[in-house]
């Protein structure tokens, strides 16, 4: 296993957490493929929204895959996150 993500469905939304790829495998599109699969799965389940808490320095990664920044910032364990979302 080189990449992982956890998904949680609540009502008509899916939140994903802990999207991570081993450092030596980053930059190969693996996490991007996982995110595309999440979008596809959400559409099949007729969900309206996919979202996550993204570290600010990773925001661009999610934007290039179609997610939008809500500019809702939260701090967890001293790390700043912003909520990124995609409406389906």
């Amino acid at each position: 296993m080189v990449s992982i993500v956890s998904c949680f469905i609540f009502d008509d939304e899916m939140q994903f957490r802990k999207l991570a790829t081993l450092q030596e495998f980053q930059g190969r599109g693996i996490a991007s493929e996982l995110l595309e699969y999440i979008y596809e799965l959400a559409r099949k389940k007729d969900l309206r929204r996919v979202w996550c808490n993204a570290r600010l320095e990773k925001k661009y990664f999610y934007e290039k895959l179609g997610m939008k920044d809500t500019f809702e910032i939260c701090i967890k364990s001293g790390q700043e996150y912003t909520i990124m979302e995609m409406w389906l």
Side-chain angles (χ1 to χ4, degrees):
M1 181 172 7
V2 299
S3 193
I4 191 166
V5 65
S6 298
C7 298
F8 303 89
I9 297 173
F10 303 98
D11 299 321
D12 59 355
E13 297 185 353
M14 180 188 295
Q15 178 189 17
F16 66 91
R17 301 179 196 161
K18 312 250 191 271
L19 176 60
T21 302
L22 291 174
Q23 189 168 7
E24 61 266 30
F25 290 92
Q26 291 178 6
R28 299 183 188 184
I30 298 167
S32 298
E33 285 186 39
L34 278 176
L35 195 50
E36 291 294 339
Y37 177 78
I38 288 169
Y39 295 159
E40 180 183 326
L41 180 63
R43 285 184 186 102
K44 285 181 181 176
K45 293 185 171 290
D46 292 321
L47 303 178
R48 292 186 23 225
R49 179 179 175 235
V50 173
W51 66 279
C52 72
N53 293 317
R55 288 180 290 163
L56 289 180
E57 68 269 14
K58 297 295 185 181
K59 182 176 121 166
Y60 175 73
F61 168 78
Y62 296 105
E63 287 176 333
K64 72 179 184 176
L65 292 167
M67 298 188 86
K68 304 289 184 205
D69 191 349
T70 65
F71 300 101
E72 293 179 46
I73 304 292
C74 62
I75 298 174
K76 295 179 185 178
S77 302
Q79 176 76 45
E80 279 190 301
Y81 295 83
T82 186
I83 295 176
M84 301 294 294
E85 67 182 6
M86 171 169 293
W87 290 90
L88 305 172

